[in-house]
Amino acid sequence: MSVLVFVETDGGEVKKSSLEALYYGAKVAAQLHTTATALVIGPAATDLTTLGQYGTAEVLHASDARLAQANPMAYAGVVAAAAENAEVVVIAKSSLGDALAARAAGKLKAGLVSNVTELPDTSAGFRVKSSIYTGKAFAVTEMKAGKKILTVKKNAVSPELTDASASVKPFAPALPDADFAAKVLSTEKASGELSLSDADIIVSGGRGMKGPDHWQPLLDLAQALHAATGCSKPVSDLDWRPHHEHIGQTGIKVSPNLYIACGISGAIQHLAGVNGSKVIVVINKDPEAPFFKAADYGIVGDVFEILPRLTQAAKEQLGS
Amino acid sequence: MKILVCISVVPDTTAKISFTDGDTKFNKAGVQFIAGPYDDYALSRAVELKEQSGGTVTVLNVGDADAEPIIRKALAVGADDAIRVNAEPTDAYFVAEQIAAIARQENYDLILMGRESIDFNGGQVHGIVGELLGIASFSPVMKLDIDGTTARFAREIEGGKESLEASLPLVLGCQEPIAEWKIPNMRGIMTARTKPLKVVEPVGHDSLTQVTQFELPPAKGAVKMIPAEDAGQLITLLRTEAKVL
């Protein structure tokens, strides 16, 4: 029984979070004395033989034209077909990953644990640790089912690459028409934007940014750091920034290497969405802002003076 | 139109999370329980759709008797009747099986719930329900209109949104801004007391997963403050000390 890893692409490029998941899957396979297979669905611009660097010898590529558009139901069918001989299916946490994990679990009657934060303990049975209560706690779950599906959070592992190459095989399971019954009327997607779930660095703004017209200094810093941009709930509620940037309990939960909060006081609902971050920086004019208690580094002062200083320092030191 | 709204009962978003019995049980002491905030959006939209074009809204919860005041509140907001499956919601698959078992008898046109429960944050129940019933599921849905047997809706995708059209029946995981949260009024609260709340026993199921241990995150170290005048120093520290740049 092997390990299958679903590898997600965006515009044909393999997502970074999926490369982490692939490395995670290869490590699980090693623990179980078996091999990991990668499954890529839809068109691929990345050279898929390079996935071998993350520890997989074999890549299955399902490239049926109908799979060009990400469709969780159809993708789940492909994952379930590829998982016929797999004991463990690993999927990077994402909007698509969540949706297809659930449908695949229904098809395979698989045990499913979401938001996994580290490698499983396979010394006796199969136990995984996952983030629960929006990052306020962890659970260790024993998975008893013959088939197991894990959705893995960003930063669960740090990949170490080899120079191995993978063989790529076409994969063409039957695709039921019913999975394509929904009609996509339109898609609005910000182009060239780093996705929050994939970003190593996030610069995020709150009400302290004072209005939608004052975002430029934050965007400048994000650009200098190659960071994605996020915002607090009030900011998206006020339509200062688009809803897909909302980070927090009822928005996106992120776990980047570095989270920089600008003018966000740190309500518990916001902290819940970011407390998986490795390093948190808080910039706020109020020294009593609760966010400082959750921060690694803090600066008290006017964001509109501090942000340009940070951008300048980043440009000087990082040559960006 | 027959709508089923599934609600989770979860600790309030500001609740302090702790565990008892050697970190094997959630500590309910002093914790206020609420209907999941995402589930509240689903319920509010269901009631709006009923107000627009008629039909019924049934609320479903998988949980123990402590959930009943929260179920009554959903009835006060405008649902017509409620079902409680008398069982501890052990994992997403188990909850989905209970929902699917009831949906098979009732043939709902729409099954709505929150995109995820805020305790385990899995966001899995709607997808498994859809699969078990053999109908389409989508999440997270932020806009929903019904025209006869056709649903037009928008779901959030990474970096944007996608507008879709599909035929009923559907299972949808909902999030803001699909509707404004509804606050029950006095009349709603009074009528909710006598609305039917049926208690049913769970369908048989072998547990696929079991939580064996809970843990709290390690305490955060002290914050290192940097003077605003030397803000640039932060970049140096992030590079050389924290090593994240």
Side-chain angles (χ1 to χ4, degrees), chain B residues 27-219:
Chain B
N27 182 7
K28 292 184 175 180
V31 171
Q32 192 190 350
F33 284 83
I34 56 167
Y38 294 115
D39 306 324
D40 264 345
Y41 286 117
L43 174 67
S44 298
R45 187 61 191 144
V47 171
E48 286 174 2
L49 290 170
K50 183 186 88 164
E51 284 166 359
Q52 282 166 20
S53 41
T56 57
V57 175
T58 300
V59 172
L60 171 63
N61 169 257
V62 179
D64 60 23
D66 290 346
E68 292 200 357
I70 295 157
I71 298 171
R72 289 278 172 211
K73 196 177 160 206
L75 292 169
V77 161
D80 300 283
D81 61 343
I83 303 167
R84 179 172 68 82
V85 178
N86 187 31
E88 190 192 344
T90 45
D91 71 7
Y93 202 104
F94 175 80
V95 172
E97 278 202 321
Q98 308 312 316
I99 296 168
I102 287 161
R104 279 192 198 102
Q105 297 162 15
E106 297 292 334
N107 295 314
Y108 297 101
D109 301 294
L110 259 183
I111 301 177
L112 304 183
M113 63 191 84
R115 63 173 291 175
E116 67 188 44
S117 66
I118 63 163
D119 48 5
F120 276 65
N121 311 106
Q124 305 292 356
V125 173
H126 33 76
I128 302 175
V129 169
E131 193 60 45
L132 294 177
L133 295 174
I135 61 179
S137 61
F138 295 90
S139 179
V141 172
M142 51 202 296
K143 186 174 183 299
L144 169 64
D145 288 297
I146 305 291
D147 182 2
T149 59
T150 302
R152 285 187 197 88
F153 54 100
R155 74 179 175 113
E156 191 160 270
I157 55 173
E158 275 168 33
K161 65 178 178 184
E162 186 177 67
S163 298
L164 294 137
E165 184 179 286
S167 299
L168 301 179
L170 290 172
V171 185
L172 304 177
C174 304
Q175 71 170 25
E176 66 201 15
I178 194 164
E180 293 282 334
W181 278 336
K182 288 192 185 302
I183 315 281
N185 58 27
M186 191 46 74
R187 189 168 164 272
I189 293 166
M190 298 302 285
T191 55
R193 288 181 186 166
T194 53
K195 284 180 179 173
L197 194 170
K198 187 167 73 175
V199 179
V200 300
E201 291 305 311
V203 293
H205 172 71
D206 44 331
S207 174
L208 297 169
T209 66
Q210 188 182 3
V211 174
T212 55
Q213 191 77 37
F214 292 106
E215 286 175 25
L216 291 172

Side-chain angles (χ1 to χ4, degrees), chain A residues 233-257:
Chain A
K233 180 165 165 39
V235 163
S236 90
D237 284 351
L238 290 162
D239 268 338
W240 290 2
R241 298 293 296 171
H243 190 271
H244 66 255
E245 285 197 0
H246 164 203
I247 294 170
Q249 178 127 31
T250 54
I252 296 170
K253 279 68 120 179
V254 296
S255 49
N257 294 336

Side-chain angles (χ1 to χ4, degrees), chain A residues 88-108:
Chain A
V88 182
V89 179
V90 177
I91 299 171
K93 171 91 182 164
S94 77
S95 161
L96 174 64
D98 282 342
L100 78 87
R103 299 280 319 194
K107 283 180 197 293
L108 297 167

